[in-house]
Amino acid sequence: MRAALARLAADSPVPIFVLAGQGAAGRVDGLRLDPRLRLVDSPRAASLLLVAGRLPRSWLRPALRIHAQMPHPRVTVWWPLGYAPRSLERRFAGVVRVAAQEDVAAVLVRLQQALLRRERASEPDLLPDVDPAPWRGVGPYGQGGKGMTGGVPFGRPLATRAADRDGLELDFLPIRVGPFFPPLPVGLVLELRSQGDLLQEARVVEPAPGRPLPGDVDPVFLRALAEPVPLAALERARARHHLRWLAGMLRFHGLHALAGRALALAEAALVGAAAVRALGRLLERTLALGWATRGVGIVPPEQLRGQPLGPVARAAGLAEDARSVDPAYRALGFTPVTHREGDAHARWRQRLAEAAQALELAERAGDRLLAGGEGVVEAPRGRLTAGGATASPLLELLPALLAGQEWGDAMATVVSLDLPPVEPVQGASGVAA
Amino acid sequence: MAALGAVLAVFLGALLAFLLLRWAGDILNPTPATAPQRVPFLGGYPPEVHAWNRYHVRYYAMALLFLAFDMEMVFMYPWAEVFVREGMVALVEMLMFIVILVIGILYAWRERALEWA
């Protein structure tokens, strides 16, 4: 029976958990469209761990913990994407490296089948199989002590108490999520304190406050800072960014079929605004999406005024857009789209409308050039200036925004803000892995 | 005696199904979970404290209201029998009982016991 089940499993899509390192963001979305693979949101559901791109040193420990959480049989695969350092291979014993010319999906399918046919042994544990502390009470035989169980159950102390909003003394559960927690952008680490399903407190651990983020934008926006670029290329890149984000948001809300459609639109070479608007009508009719996002994570416009926050600011009613003063855009009759509510619902509708608008502009622009070189360009996440990286003002708003929300709403808020992936400080982690 | 036999058969059947499922689980995955595998997935960091915690059960007001109306239904089954014999008098008595309960629910509504969180 086991052999029959293994054969059945070998023919189904390969469940993989992806650790998207530096330089991997856009490439991982490509894998989602491959019918041979199934990207899962938890290492427990995966049999293959795919490390894509460069894994900075400070992420190695979390990566090892995730590896230890995967069930047997399992294999780690490294997809270097042009990054050379080999220290990852030293720490992950038995990691399979995808060669530059190989099709990564084919490699993953081959490994999965070898695992299930037992032609390949499962990777051993890289972390010791011990609890962080022994479960021992105060008595001579380890029995008794304070609390429900005495001692330290499974090596972890019980939560301490604090007053909740009803004036009751109840347990305060600290939860540190990230850097590879799928609803959050890669690298973001949040320290959340929950009482029941309610977050009482939120703190951003990584990135450190005020640290500039390099931002993950299409290179065409960086080029536009210095030199003239085709306006159509810029707008198509914008639409692609918003559609990719939309796919991630829909995936978070469990609307996988719609997410697949959005991602297919994002990855398609030439897509018309009509297709995006059709997707938008479908999303408007998806009642569950409206219920899950309306009134969630409202950012008041006064906190956003003057900040380079693009769609987030425009979703709150501020018509701030670097494009509206650009002569090339003015010639095309550009006026920024805005929404009023400033909640997660307004934000996805804002990005959807901007994606459709960007594609319309691209169609009308022909081979018109954007002058460029003015040192300012409206990127998908907001205004980009030649000074380069700045700390995202949204990260400073995040603690106040998340406190008092239920878990699901808090995660929906983080998703709706489209935070850029966080990369560890460059100098400190010069050596990969 | 036949009833006892039926109860025993159901009990034995349930026990057998339970043991079968346990056995199937052990056969399909013979290795017990390791310490890192027992920990919830949080994206790479281990939890600092154990997940056993006491939190406010916010639905308790709704649960109490549900219990009140659940018990009302229990009273209605024997009442149906009485209603056939007594007619209008039984109907009026039941109506009084329900009106008292409805006043209770209106009170709970006014006190915002039906609002979630």
Side-chain angles (χ1 to χ4, degrees):
Chain A
M1 187 176 79
R2 266 179 90 143
L5 284 176
R7 262 201 308 281
L8 203 65
D11 290 337
S12 57
V14 184
I16 57 171
F17 186 80
V18 181
L19 303 181
Q22 279 162 269
R27 305 292 292 271
V28 173
D29 275 337
L31 296 181
R32 290 185 194 280
L33 288 174
D34 197 314
R36 292 169 291 176
L37 306 178
R38 188 161 59 87
L39 272 69
V40 292
D41 286 342
S42 161
R44 288 174 195 288
S47 60
L48 271 74
L49 183 69
L50 180 68
V51 182
R54 174 173 171 273
L55 205 63
R57 183 185 285 170
S58 57
W59 289 356
L60 195 67
R61 197 76 202 157
L64 281 170
R65 286 198 200 99
I66 288 172
H67 178 266
Q69 291 196 309
M70 291 173 62
H72 292 284
R74 61 190 175 199
V75 171
T76 310
V77 181
W78 185 32
W79 190 23
L81 295 173
Y83 288 100
R86 285 162 183 270
S87 32
L88 186 93
E89 289 168 323
R90 208 166 54 233
R91 298 296 290 274
F92 277 89
V95 65
V96 178
R97 186 181 174 145
V98 182
Q101 70 281 4
E102 268 181 308
D103 172 23
V104 65
V107 173
L108 293 169
V109 170
R110 206 175 60 229
L111 280 169
Q112 161 89 341
Q113 286 176 350
L115 269 184
L116 291 170
R117 289 201 202 101
R118 305 198 169 198
E119 288 157 11
R120 193 187 167 88
S122 176
E123 267 177 11
D125 291 346
L126 301 175
L127 292 181
D129 178 15
V130 286
D131 287 322
W135 183 343
R136 230 193 124 71
V138 291
Y141 302 102
Q143 86 284 16
K146 266 167 65 179
M148 286 190 280
T149 55
V152 185
F154 296 106
R156 290 190 166 77
L158 294 176
T160 48
R161 284 187 299 173
D164 81 346
R165 61 188 164 137
D166 300 311
L168 301 170
E169 282 274 311
L170 290 171
D171 288 348
F172 223 68
L173 208 62
I175 305 164
R176 184 172 279 207
V177 288
F180 297 110
F181 193 62
L184 307 183
V186 174
L188 181 68
V189 181
L190 296 178
E191 172 109 7
L192 306 168
R193 287 173 176 271
S194 83
Q195 281 182 318
D197 58 352
L198 207 77
L199 298 182
Q200 299 286 40
E201 214 180 296
R203 191 168 67 86
V204 180
V205 179
E206 193 69 46
R211 190 158 68 71
L213 297 175
D216 165 58
V217 288
D218 196 287
V220 72
F221 291 101
L222 299 175
R223 263 205 351 250
L225 283 172
E227 56 185 276
V229 291
L231 199 149
L234 204 70
E235 290 305 314
R236 285 200 183 281
R238 184 188 319 281
R240 193 160 54 238
H241 178 100
H242 286 326
L243 287 169
R244 272 187 187 161
W245 171 84
L246 201 68
M249 188 272 296
L250 292 168
R251 216 161 34 239
F252 166 74
H253 285 292
L255 302 166
H256 290 267
L258 289 169
R261 280 180 73 142
L263 200 57
L265 285 182
E267 303 293 322
L270 273 177
V271 52
V276 174
R277 293 209 192 278
L279 177 70
R281 281 194 294 278
L282 214 54
L283 295 187
E284 296 284 358
R285 283 204 294 269
T286 308
L287 293 178
L289 186 62
W291 295 331
T293 52
R294 225 170 255 128
V296 169
I298 300 173
V299 190
E302 45 287 3
Q303 291 183 341
L304 300 168
R305 209 175 295 279
Q307 310 256 37
L309 287 173
V312 175
R314 291 193 285 276
L318 302 176
E320 291 177 5
D321 195 317
R323 286 176 288 176
S324 43
V325 292
D326 191 296
Y329 282 100
R330 278 184 147 174
L332 288 173
F334 170 82
T335 46
V337 187
T338 56
H339 285 80
R340 271 184 305 108
E341 298 82 0
D343 57 0
H345 185 247
R347 286 194 279 275
W348 72 252
R349 292 175 68 213
Q350 174 71 28
R351 292 206 180 86
L352 193 76
E354 284 193 21
Q357 187 193 33
L359 290 172
E360 272 166 10
L361 286 171
E363 278 159 24
R364 274 190 283 138
D367 46 8
R368 210 182 285 246
L369 283 181
L370 186 68
E374 288 164 22
V376 59
V377 63
E378 185 72 21
R381 286 197 181 91
R383 199 169 63 239
L384 204 67
T385 40
T390 51
S392 175
L394 287 173
L395 286 172
E396 285 157 35
L397 298 179
L398 210 52
L401 209 54
L402 298 187
Q405 292 207 54
E406 286 179 16
W407 180 267
D409 285 351
M411 290 299 134
T413 303
V414 176
V415 169
S416 75
L417 294 175
D418 187 19
L419 298 168
V422 179
E423 298 182 359
V425 187
Q426 282 297 321
S429 59
V431 188
Chain B
M1 206 56 217
L4 187 68
V7 167
L8 220 67
V10 168
F11 177 72
L12 280 179
L15 193 72
L16 208 71
F18 171 73
L19 290 176
L20 201 76
L21 287 173
R22 281 296 299 269
W23 173 79
D26 287 349
I27 288 296
L28 288 175
N29 184 13
T31 47
T34 60
Q37 281 172 351
R38 281 198 297 268
V39 168
F41 168 62
L42 297 176
Y45 281 98
E48 286 165 41
V49 300
H50 198 277
W52 284 338
N53 71 109
R54 290 156 292 181
Y55 53 88
H56 191 174
V57 187
R58 289 188 178 281
Y59 58 82
Y60 76 95
M62 270 175 242
L64 286 177
L65 274 175
F66 168 73
L67 272 182
F69 280 86
D70 204 33
M71 289 316 291
E72 174 209 314
M73 288 311 294
V74 171
F75 287 133
M76 288 200 47
Y77 287 111
W79 171 80
E81 190 81 355
V82 178
F83 174 66
V84 175
R85 271 189 279 121
E86 303 282 333
M88 207 52 192
V89 179
L91 186 69
V92 169
E93 281 177 347
M94 193 37 122
L95 227 62
M96 281 162 66
F97 175 60
I98 289 177
V99 162
I100 290 169
L101 280 176
V102 166
I103 291 171
I105 210 173
L106 289 176
Y107 174 72
W109 195 349
R110 195 197 74 168
E111 292 291 308
R112 298 182 173 189
L114 301 181
E115 278 172 30
W116 186 261

